[in-house]
Amino acid sequence: MDMETSTPGKKPWWTMPQNFRVPLVFYMEEDQEELIFGQSDTYLRCIEEHSYTLIQLERWFTATGQTRVTVVGPPSARQWLLHMILCVGSQDSYCHARGLEMLRRVRSQPLTKDDLATPLSMEPNTGDLSLATRISGNISLSAPEASLYLLAGCSGFHLSSLYP
């Protein structure tokens, strides 16, 4: 299967309307955005290309300098990016290191079918409130109910409209 298409012999992912329904939307602190996307969003284009998504960054004039992040693309790619961002922002050293490795990977090479098919697991850490201050807002994604464990224990998240 070609990663640019959703199934063998089908159209590229960006021509499939279902990949644009219920985008992933959240707010990210400015320093977190710079860590992930680079200064002046240097890595934005390669992250989009390598994750088979389109990412829109909108800076909001807030006291904390938040950026609104909107991600569209195949659900597995959106879920993978969310997991990477959550891990990068974690204060748990293992999870943070895993997030940095995921970030290095998506910056350096396209994600493979195996990357996107691998179940993402993150142990819920209800004591890690750092995520609440670093990423907030309405998280919307079109994903199976089983993937909700990704957000379990992450204070500051508000799920809205999980299904179209």
Side-chain angles (χ1 to χ4, degrees), residues 63-79:
T64 58
Q66 290 183 324
T67 299
R68 179 177 160 172
V69 182
T70 304
V71 183
V72 296
S76 60
R78 288 183 283 156
Q79 183 180 16

mmCIF file with all atom_site columns, all heavy atoms in Angstrom, residues 63-79:
data_model
loop_
_atom_site.group_PDB
_atom_site.id
_atom_site.type_symbol
_atom_site.label_atom_id
_atom_site.label_alt_id
_atom_site.label_comp_id
_atom_site.label_asym_id
_atom_site.label_entity_id
_atom_site.label_seq_id
_atom_site.pdbx_PDB_ins_code
_atom_site.Cartn_x
_atom_site.Cartn_y
_atom_site.Cartn_z
_atom_site.occupancy
_atom_site.B_iso_or_equiv
_atom_site.pdbx_formal_charge
_atom_site.auth_seq_id
_atom_site.auth_comp_id
_atom_site.auth_asym_id
_atom_site.auth_atom_id
_atom_site.pdbx_PDB_model_num
ATOM 1   N N   . ALA A 1 63 ? -2.391  35.822 26.637 1.00 0.00 ? 63 ALA A N   1
ATOM 2   C CA  . ALA A 1 63 ? -1.366  36.131 27.641 1.00 0.00 ? 63 ALA A CA  1
ATOM 3   C C   . ALA A 1 63 ? -0.225  35.123 27.602 1.00 0.00 ? 63 ALA A C   1
ATOM 4   O O   . ALA A 1 63 ? 0.918   35.463 27.892 1.00 0.00 ? 63 ALA A O   1
ATOM 5   C CB  . ALA A 1 63 ? -1.991  36.171 29.026 1.00 0.00 ? 63 ALA A CB  1
ATOM 6   N N   . THR A 1 64 ? -0.534  33.906 27.226 1.00 0.00 ? 64 THR A N   1
ATOM 7   C CA  . THR A 1 64 ? 0.497   32.874 27.209 1.00 0.00 ? 64 THR A CA  1
ATOM 8   C C   . THR A 1 64 ? 1.082   32.633 25.819 1.00 0.00 ? 64 THR A C   1
ATOM 9   O O   . THR A 1 64 ? 1.936   31.782 25.661 1.00 0.00 ? 64 THR A O   1
ATOM 10  C CB  . THR A 1 64 ? -0.062  31.547 27.755 1.00 0.00 ? 64 THR A CB  1
ATOM 11  O OG1 . THR A 1 64 ? -1.192  31.166 26.961 1.00 0.00 ? 64 THR A OG1 1
ATOM 12  C CG2 . THR A 1 64 ? -0.448  31.671 29.212 1.00 0.00 ? 64 THR A CG2 1
ATOM 13  N N   . GLY A 1 65 ? 0.613   33.347 24.823 1.00 0.00 ? 65 GLY A N   1
ATOM 14  C CA  . GLY A 1 65 ? 1.154   33.189 23.471 1.00 0.00 ? 65 GLY A CA  1
ATOM 15  C C   . GLY A 1 65 ? 0.856   31.846 22.857 1.00 0.00 ? 65 GLY A C   1
ATOM 16  O O   . GLY A 1 65 ? 1.734   31.202 22.309 1.00 0.00 ? 65 GLY A O   1
ATOM 17  N N   . GLN A 1 66 ? -0.386  31.413 22.934 1.00 0.00 ? 66 GLN A N   1
ATOM 18  C CA  . GLN A 1 66 ? -0.751  30.112 22.392 1.00 0.00 ? 66 GLN A CA  1
ATOM 19  C C   . GLN A 1 66 ? -0.890  30.143 20.874 1.00 0.00 ? 66 GLN A C   1
ATOM 20  O O   . GLN A 1 66 ? -1.156  31.177 20.281 1.00 0.00 ? 66 GLN A O   1
ATOM 21  C CB  . GLN A 1 66 ? -2.062  29.637 23.000 1.00 0.00 ? 66 GLN A CB  1
ATOM 22  C CG  . GLN A 1 66 ? -1.932  29.277 24.458 1.00 0.00 ? 66 GLN A CG  1
ATOM 23  C CD  . GLN A 1 66 ? -3.225  28.736 25.012 1.00 0.00 ? 66 GLN A CD  1
ATOM 24  O OE1 . GLN A 1 66 ? -4.303  29.167 24.648 1.00 0.00 ? 66 GLN A OE1 1
ATOM 25  N NE2 . GLN A 1 66 ? -3.112  27.783 25.919 1.00 0.00 ? 66 GLN A NE2 1
ATOM 26  N N   . THR A 1 67 ? -0.721  28.963 20.290 1.00 0.00 ? 67 THR A N   1
ATOM 27  C CA  . THR A 1 67 ? -0.922  28.755 18.864 1.00 0.00 ? 67 THR A CA  1
ATOM 28  C C   . THR A 1 67 ? -2.039  27.736 18.697 1.00 0.00 ? 67 THR A C   1
ATOM 29  O O   . THR A 1 67 ? -2.033  26.696 19.345 1.00 0.00 ? 67 THR A O   1
ATOM 30  C CB  . THR A 1 67 ? 0.370   28.225 18.206 1.00 0.00 ? 67 THR A CB  1
ATOM 31  O OG1 . THR A 1 67 ? 1.396   29.190 18.373 1.00 0.00 ? 67 THR A OG1 1
ATOM 32  C CG2 . THR A 1 67 ? 0.157   27.938 16.736 1.00 0.00 ? 67 THR A CG2 1
ATOM 33  N N   . ARG A 1 68 ? -2.994  28.067 17.843 1.00 0.00 ? 68 ARG A N   1
ATOM 34  C CA  . ARG A 1 68 ? -4.054  27.110 17.518 1.00 0.00 ? 68 ARG A CA  1
ATOM 35  C C   . ARG A 1 68 ? -3.511  26.200 16.416 1.00 0.00 ? 68 ARG A C   1
ATOM 36  O O   . ARG A 1 68 ? -3.037  26.672 15.384 1.00 0.00 ? 68 ARG A O   1
ATOM 37  C CB  . ARG A 1 68 ? -5.295  27.841 17.035 1.00 0.00 ? 68 ARG A CB  1
ATOM 38  C CG  . ARG A 1 68 ? -6.410  26.895 16.656 1.00 0.00 ? 68 ARG A CG  1
ATOM 39  C CD  . ARG A 1 68 ? -7.629  27.674 16.249 1.00 0.00 ? 68 ARG A CD  1
ATOM 40  N NE  . ARG A 1 68 ? -8.504  26.831 15.471 1.00 0.00 ? 68 ARG A NE  1
ATOM 41  C CZ  . ARG A 1 68 ? -9.717  27.169 15.097 1.00 0.00 ? 68 ARG A CZ  1
ATOM 42  N NH1 . ARG A 1 68 ? -10.196 28.355 15.419 1.00 0.00 ? 68 ARG A NH1 1
ATOM 43  N NH2 . ARG A 1 68 ? -10.448 26.357 14.401 1.00 0.00 ? 68 ARG A NH2 1
ATOM 44  N N   . VAL A 1 69 ? -3.607  24.902 16.643 1.00 0.00 ? 69 VAL A N   1
ATOM 45  C CA  . VAL A 1 69 ? -3.088  23.908 15.706 1.00 0.00 ? 69 VAL A CA  1
ATOM 46  C C   . VAL A 1 69 ? -4.273  23.120 15.158 1.00 0.00 ? 69 VAL A C   1
ATOM 47  O O   . VAL A 1 69 ? -5.083  22.597 15.916 1.00 0.00 ? 69 VAL A O   1
ATOM 48  C CB  . VAL A 1 69 ? -2.097  22.947 16.403 1.00 0.00 ? 69 VAL A CB  1
ATOM 49  C CG1 . VAL A 1 69 ? -1.529  21.939 15.416 1.00 0.00 ? 69 VAL A CG1 1
ATOM 50  C CG2 . VAL A 1 69 ? -0.980  23.721 17.085 1.00 0.00 ? 69 VAL A CG2 1
ATOM 51  N N   . THR A 1 70 ? -4.377  23.063 13.830 1.00 0.00 ? 70 THR A N   1
ATOM 52  C CA  . THR A 1 70 ? -5.417  22.292 13.158 1.00 0.00 ? 70 THR A CA  1
ATOM 53  C C   . THR A 1 70 ? -4.721  21.277 12.258 1.00 0.00 ? 70 THR A C   1
ATOM 54  O O   . THR A 1 70 ? -3.861  21.654 11.456 1.00 0.00 ? 70 THR A O   1
ATOM 55  C CB  . THR A 1 70 ? -6.334  23.197 12.314 1.00 0.00 ? 70 THR A CB  1
ATOM 56  O OG1 . THR A 1 70 ? -6.882  24.213 13.161 1.00 0.00 ? 70 THR A OG1 1
ATOM 57  C CG2 . THR A 1 70 ? -7.455  22.401 11.661 1.00 0.00 ? 70 THR A CG2 1
ATOM 58  N N   . VAL A 1 71 ? -5.077  20.004 12.418 1.00 0.00 ? 71 VAL A N   1
ATOM 59  C CA  . VAL A 1 71 ? -4.449  18.936 11.636 1.00 0.00 ? 71 VAL A CA  1
ATOM 60  C C   . VAL A 1 71 ? -5.542  18.179 10.896 1.00 0.00 ? 71 VAL A C   1
ATOM 61  O O   . VAL A 1 71 ? -6.527  17.746 11.500 1.00 0.00 ? 71 VAL A O   1
ATOM 62  C CB  . VAL A 1 71 ? -3.673  17.957 12.542 1.00 0.00 ? 71 VAL A CB  1
ATOM 63  C CG1 . VAL A 1 71 ? -2.974  16.888 11.707 1.00 0.00 ? 71 VAL A CG1 1
ATOM 64  C CG2 . VAL A 1 71 ? -2.661  18.696 13.415 1.00 0.00 ? 71 VAL A CG2 1
ATOM 65  N N   . VAL A 1 72 ? -5.368  18.023 9.588  1.00 0.00 ? 72 VAL A N   1
ATOM 66  C CA  . VAL A 1 72 ? -6.246  17.181 8.784  1.00 0.00 ? 72 VAL A CA  1
ATOM 67  C C   . VAL A 1 72 ? -5.393  16.131 8.093  1.00 0.00 ? 72 VAL A C   1
ATOM 68  O O   . VAL A 1 72 ? -4.214  16.343 7.843  1.00 0.00 ? 72 VAL A O   1
ATOM 69  C CB  . VAL A 1 72 ? -7.076  17.983 7.746  1.00 0.00 ? 72 VAL A CB  1
ATOM 70  C CG1 . VAL A 1 72 ? -8.029  18.933 8.424  1.00 0.00 ? 72 VAL A CG1 1
ATOM 71  C CG2 . VAL A 1 72 ? -6.184  18.715 6.769  1.00 0.00 ? 72 VAL A CG2 1
ATOM 72  N N   . GLY A 1 73 ? -6.012  15.030 7.801  1.00 0.00 ? 73 GLY A N   1
ATOM 73  C CA  . GLY A 1 73 ? -5.315  13.929 7.147  1.00 0.00 ? 73 GLY A CA  1
ATOM 74  C C   . GLY A 1 73 ? -5.915  12.620 7.609  1.00 0.00 ? 73 GLY A C   1
ATOM 75  O O   . GLY A 1 73 ? -6.919  12.600 8.342  1.00 0.00 ? 73 GLY A O   1
ATOM 76  N N   . PRO A 1 74 ? -5.319  11.515 7.220  1.00 0.00 ? 74 PRO A N   1
ATOM 77  C CA  . PRO A 1 74 ? -5.835  10.207 7.643  1.00 0.00 ? 74 PRO A CA  1
ATOM 78  C C   . PRO A 1 74 ? -5.868  10.113 9.176  1.00 0.00 ? 74 PRO A C   1
ATOM 79  O O   . PRO A 1 74 ? -4.962  10.605 9.851  1.00 0.00 ? 74 PRO A O   1
ATOM 80  C CB  . PRO A 1 74 ? -4.828  9.218  7.053  1.00 0.00 ? 74 PRO A CB  1
ATOM 81  C CG  . PRO A 1 74 ? -4.215  9.961  5.892  1.00 0.00 ? 74 PRO A CG  1
ATOM 82  C CD  . PRO A 1 74 ? -4.176  11.395 6.313  1.00 0.00 ? 74 PRO A CD  1
ATOM 83  N N   . PRO A 1 75 ? -6.922  9.501  9.728  1.00 0.00 ? 75 PRO A N   1
ATOM 84  C CA  . PRO A 1 75 ? -7.043  9.412  11.187 1.00 0.00 ? 75 PRO A CA  1
ATOM 85  C C   . PRO A 1 75 ? -5.816  8.817  11.883 1.00 0.00 ? 75 PRO A C   1
ATOM 86  O O   . PRO A 1 75 ? -5.415  9.289  12.937 1.00 0.00 ? 75 PRO A O   1
ATOM 87  C CB  . PRO A 1 75 ? -8.276  8.525  11.396 1.00 0.00 ? 75 PRO A CB  1
ATOM 88  C CG  . PRO A 1 75 ? -9.097  8.754  10.165 1.00 0.00 ? 75 PRO A CG  1
ATOM 89  C CD  . PRO A 1 75 ? -8.098  8.936  9.050  1.00 0.00 ? 75 PRO A CD  1
ATOM 90  N N   . SER A 1 76 ? -5.200  7.801  11.302 1.00 0.00 ? 76 SER A N   1
ATOM 91  C CA  . SER A 1 76 ? -4.030  7.189  11.947 1.00 0.00 ? 76 SER A CA  1
ATOM 92  C C   . SER A 1 76 ? -2.862  8.171  12.008 1.00 0.00 ? 76 SER A C   1
ATOM 93  O O   . SER A 1 76 ? -2.112  8.183  12.989 1.00 0.00 ? 76 SER A O   1
ATOM 94  C CB  . SER A 1 76 ? -3.612  5.916  11.215 1.00 0.00 ? 76 SER A CB  1
ATOM 95  O OG  . SER A 1 76 ? -3.269  6.202  9.871  1.00 0.00 ? 76 SER A OG  1
ATOM 96  N N   . ALA A 1 77 ? -2.712  9.016  11.006 1.00 0.00 ? 77 ALA A N   1
ATOM 97  C CA  . ALA A 1 77 ? -1.631  10.010 11.007 1.00 0.00 ? 77 ALA A CA  1
ATOM 98  C C   . ALA A 1 77 ? -1.912  11.104 12.033 1.00 0.00 ? 77 ALA A C   1
ATOM 99  O O   . ALA A 1 77 ? -1.001  11.538 12.753 1.00 0.00 ? 77 ALA A O   1
ATOM 100 C CB  . ALA A 1 77 ? -1.472  10.607 9.612  1.00 0.00 ? 77 ALA A CB  1
ATOM 101 N N   . ARG A 1 78 ? -3.167  11.542 12.127 1.00 0.00 ? 78 ARG A N   1
ATOM 102 C CA  . ARG A 1 78 ? -3.527  12.553 13.125 1.00 0.00 ? 78 ARG A CA  1
ATOM 103 C C   . ARG A 1 78 ? -3.303  12.005 14.526 1.00 0.00 ? 78 ARG A C   1
ATOM 104 O O   . ARG A 1 78 ? -2.791  12.697 15.404 1.00 0.00 ? 78 ARG A O   1
ATOM 105 C CB  . ARG A 1 78 ? -4.987  12.987 12.955 1.00 0.00 ? 78 ARG A CB  1
ATOM 106 C CG  . ARG A 1 78 ? -5.185  13.843 11.717 1.00 0.00 ? 78 ARG A CG  1
ATOM 107 C CD  . ARG A 1 78 ? -6.611  14.324 11.606 1.00 0.00 ? 78 ARG A CD  1
ATOM 108 N NE  . ARG A 1 78 ? -7.433  13.206 11.127 1.00 0.00 ? 78 ARG A NE  1
ATOM 109 C CZ  . ARG A 1 78 ? -8.721  13.090 11.321 1.00 0.00 ? 78 ARG A CZ  1
ATOM 110 N NH1 . ARG A 1 78 ? -9.390  13.978 12.003 1.00 0.00 ? 78 ARG A NH1 1
ATOM 111 N NH2 . ARG A 1 78 ? -9.381  12.065 10.829 1.00 0.00 ? 78 ARG A NH2 1
ATOM 112 N N   . GLN A 1 79 ? -3.689  10.752 14.754 1.00 0.00 ? 79 GLN A N   1
ATOM 113 C CA  . GLN A 1 79 ? -3.508  10.128 16.060 1.00 0.00 ? 79 GLN A CA  1
ATOM 114 C C   . GLN A 1 79 ? -2.018  10.015 16.386 1.00 0.00 ? 79 GLN A C   1
ATOM 115 O O   . GLN A 1 79 ? -1.599  10.277 17.513 1.00 0.00 ? 79 GLN A O   1
ATOM 116 C CB  . GLN A 1 79 ? -4.170  8.750  16.067 1.00 0.00 ? 79 GLN A CB  1
ATOM 117 C CG  . GLN A 1 79 ? -4.094  8.050  17.399 1.00 0.00 ? 79 GLN A CG  1
ATOM 118 C CD  . GLN A 1 79 ? -4.759  6.687  17.374 1.00 0.00 ? 79 GLN A CD  1
ATOM 119 O OE1 . GLN A 1 79 ? -5.023  6.124  16.313 1.00 0.00 ? 79 GLN A OE1 1
ATOM 120 N NE2 . GLN A 1 79 ? -5.024  6.142  18.531 1.00 0.00 ? 79 GLN A NE2 1
#
